[in-house]
């Protein structure tokens, strides 16, 4: 549909997944591969970038390695150091095919069983129910410095070639930090977009959805471990992986609060639509969510202009009707104004259709 984006996975079969249907496997095996030459290149790029933009800081991020579907009673295997991606999308252009996700999962699970690389078996016929399946996200750790030095490097094509040749994975040497974004729908059926400031690092001036990153540091703090970004490790978070999942879901609501100034009490439970890939930044992944809001578009507009903690990141708020969003495509005038992450979220929303046209909103108690 658009060369800037594609869909890595979508959750159309279940109209999206709730927090209870997602788990994570966190391991250093899912970190990026590296060598001294790559590290030197990253350090050189970071030093040069910070000299121009001294306000930058190197925060820890989660790295998406791969994923699989399984029933809760059969946790994923950790036998392989490299686990192939289970691509539940259609093609690499962001469009989905006519197969159901269930058929994709069953077919790819069989392939993985045959190659003995994954223990995610037992995908049952009732996979479409809210009691199953569980989506397991395999996460490692990375950081903003590595993201700039790999995904945004002028040598990214070479890094991808090396990754494919040396690890059979074109993104093995890339940071691949996992972002989050929200298709936020108001009580009167409008979807909230924000115009990015020209001062932000990426996609300045374009329309985007509220979003950011789940933060490893927040997870550590919730586990009672006060630590600086540079010292965060996988081991610190492995004791309670459900806190990582909680951060994945709650972080998207926190971003809505901070960027749009909508209180958490007005937001419904986030529904995971899937994961999109931003090919402007070498296929960087972003988990996209649907979040309903009990406020009208006029009320959201008023709150936005009062300003939230991250008001400086955008310059305007724009509302698009659900009907228009469902019809939006690359030939629409608005499409060229969207940044890649917003395009990916729109494609996933059109595919999954999590709201079914209803207006109902269930407020949640999120982080404060």
């Amino acid at each position: 549909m658009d060369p800037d984006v594609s869909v890595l996975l979508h959750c159309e079969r279940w109209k999206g997944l709730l927090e209870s249907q997602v788990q994570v496997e966190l391991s250093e095996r899912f970190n990026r591969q590296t060598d001294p030459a790559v590290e030197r290149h990253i350090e050189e790029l970071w030093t040069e970038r910070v000299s121009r933009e001294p306000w930058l800081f190197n925060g820890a991020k989660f790295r998406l390695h791969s994923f699989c579907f399984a029933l809760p009673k059969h946790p994923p295997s950790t036998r392989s150091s490299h686990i192939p991606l289970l691509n539940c999308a259609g093609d690499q252009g962001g469009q989905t095919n006519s197969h159901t996700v269930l058929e994709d999962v069953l077919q790819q699970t069989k392939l993985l069983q045959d190659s003995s690389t994954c223990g995610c078996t037992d995908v049952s016929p009732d996979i479409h129910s809210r009691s199953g399946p569980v989506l397991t996200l395999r996460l490692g750790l990375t950081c903003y410095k590595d993201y700039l030095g790999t995904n945004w490097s002028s040598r990214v094509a070479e890094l991808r070639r090396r990754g494919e040749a040396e690890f059979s994975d074109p993104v093995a040497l890339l940071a691949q930090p996992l972002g989050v974004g929200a298709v936020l729908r108001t009580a009167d059926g409008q979807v909230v977009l924000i115009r990015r400031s020209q001062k932000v690092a990426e996609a300045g001036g374009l329309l985007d959805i509220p979003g950011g990153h789940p933060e490893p540091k927040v997870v550590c703090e919730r586990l009672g471990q006060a630590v600086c970004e540079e010292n965060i490790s996988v081991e610190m978070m492995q004791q309670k992986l459900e806190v990582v999942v909680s951060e994945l879901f709650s972080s998207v609501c926190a971003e809505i609060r901070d960027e749009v100034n909508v209180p958490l009490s007005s937001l419904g439970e986030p529904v995971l639509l899937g994961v999109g890939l931003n090919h402007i930044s070498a296929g960087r992944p972003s988990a996209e969510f649907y979040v309903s809001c009990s406020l009208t578009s006029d009320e959201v507009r008023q709150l936005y202009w009062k300003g939230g903690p991250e008001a400086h990141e955008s310059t305007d708020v724009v509302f698009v009707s659900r009907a228009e969003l469902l019809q939006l495509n690359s030939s629409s005038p608005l499409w060229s104004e969207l940044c890649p992450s917003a395009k990916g979220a729109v494609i996933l929303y059109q595919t999954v259709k999590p709201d079914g046209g209803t207006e109902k909103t269930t407020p949640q108690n999120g982080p404060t």
Side-chain angles (χ1 to χ4, degrees):
M1 184 176 182
D2 188 299
D4 291 352
V5 295
S6 66
V7 172
L8 177 65
L9 80 96
H10 67 74
C11 305
E12 178 184 12
R13 183 71 176 183
W14 316 283
K15 299 298 181 183
L17 297 179
L18 302 177
E19 183 177 333
S20 61
Q21 295 172 277
V22 178
Q23 64 184 21
V24 299
E25 184 181 356
L26 189 64
S27 172
E28 291 182 354
R29 297 184 298 110
F30 304 143
N31 293 356
R32 68 178 177 87
Q33 302 291 334
T34 189
D35 64 24
V38 173
E39 293 305 304
R40 285 195 298 271
H41 177 62
I42 292 172
E43 287 295 337
E44 290 169 1
L45 289 180
W46 179 251
T47 300
E48 190 274 334
R49 183 73 179 263
V50 172
S51 68
R52 290 187 288 110
E53 303 170 56
W55 56 85
L56 292 179
F57 72 96
N58 183 27
K61 309 296 177 187
F62 291 107
R63 179 182 189 269
L64 179 63
H65 174 274
S66 51
F67 66 91
C68 73
F69 287 100
L71 290 183
K73 62 182 179 180
H74 290 283
S77 168
T78 59
R79 288 177 289 171
S80 174
S81 61
H82 170 67
I83 304 173
L85 290 177
L86 292 179
N87 192 341
C88 293
D91 57 33
Q92 293 302 307
Q95 296 175 320
T96 56
N97 60 24
S98 59
H99 291 95
T100 66
V101 177
L102 174 58
E103 291 168 334
D104 292 332
V105 172
L106 289 172
Q107 179 182 9
Q108 293 176 75
T109 299
K110 182 179 185 300
L111 290 174
L112 288 174
Q113 285 177 286
D114 291 344
S115 60
S116 299
T117 57
C118 179
C120 300
T121 58
D122 287 333
V123 181
S124 74
D126 67 348
I127 195 169
H128 62 281
S129 71
R130 280 298 185 188
S131 61
V134 167
L135 168 65
T136 297
L137 299 174
R138 299 190 179 98
L139 303 178
L141 284 178
T142 186
C143 62
Y144 186 62
K145 178 177 74 172
D146 290 0
Y147 172 55
L148 294 181
T150 58
N151 288 69
W152 279 102
S153 169
S154 60
R155 301 180 189 175
V156 67
E158 175 189 345
L159 293 175
R160 290 181 64 90
R161 285 193 297 269
R162 283 191 55 193
E164 181 64 46
E166 298 173 21
F167 305 101
S168 299
D169 178 5
V171 299
L173 292 163
L174 305 186
Q176 296 296 90
L178 179 63
V180 294
V183 176
L184 176 64
R185 185 187 177 198
T186 64
D188 54 340
Q190 300 292 308
V191 174
V192 180
L193 300 176
I194 52 177
R195 177 119 14 221
R196 293 174 64 84
S197 167
Q198 293 288 357
K199 297 180 181 180
V200 296
E202 300 175 37
L206 296 179
L207 290 174
D208 199 0
I209 57 174
H213 302 85
E215 301 289 350
K217 186 175 182 180
V218 172
V219 174
C220 290
E221 291 171 348
R222 290 181 182 176
L223 293 174
Q225 303 184 58
V227 62
C228 62
E229 298 275 0
E230 293 78 8
N231 294 331
I232 292 174
S233 67
V234 165
E235 290 74 19
M236 293 177 177
M237 295 176 280
Q238 283 182 323
Q239 57 181 289
K240 291 192 70 174
L241 292 178
E242 61 269 26
V243 181
V244 179
V245 179
S246 175
E247 168 60 11
L248 176 65
F249 277 74
S250 64
S251 64
V252 74
C253 292
E255 294 292 346
I256 294 171
R257 175 198 61 198
D258 294 345
E259 294 183 2
V260 189
N261 200 31
V262 171
L264 294 171
S265 59
S266 300
L267 301 179
E269 184 176 9
V271 177
L272 178 64
L273 303 175
V275 176
L277 300 179
N278 179 349
H279 295 294
I280 298 299
S281 53
R284 177 211 180 167
S286 181
E288 308 297 356
F289 295 82
Y290 167 77
V291 180
S292 58
C293 179
S294 61
L295 304 177
T296 67
S297 54
D298 283 342
E299 290 171 325
V300 170
R301 181 182 289 107
Q302 292 173 15
L303 288 170
Y304 172 84
W305 286 114
K306 288 181 180 179
E310 297 180 2
H312 62 283
E313 295 185 1
S314 65
T315 60
D316 197 8
V317 63
V318 176
F319 297 91
V320 178
S321 71
R322 177 183 186 272
E324 183 180 355
L325 200 73
L326 289 172
Q327 297 298 319
L328 201 60
N329 57 45
S330 57
S331 63
S332 307
L334 183 62
W335 190 262
S336 61
E337 292 192 65
L338 298 178
C339 66
S341 59
K343 291 177 180 178
V346 169
I347 293 170
L348 283 165
Y349 178 78
Q350 293 172 339
T351 301
V352 179
K353 297 183 181 67
D355 47 4
T358 63
E359 302 290 341
K360 185 177 180 180
T361 297
T362 303
Q364 68 162 26
N365 294 320
T368 58

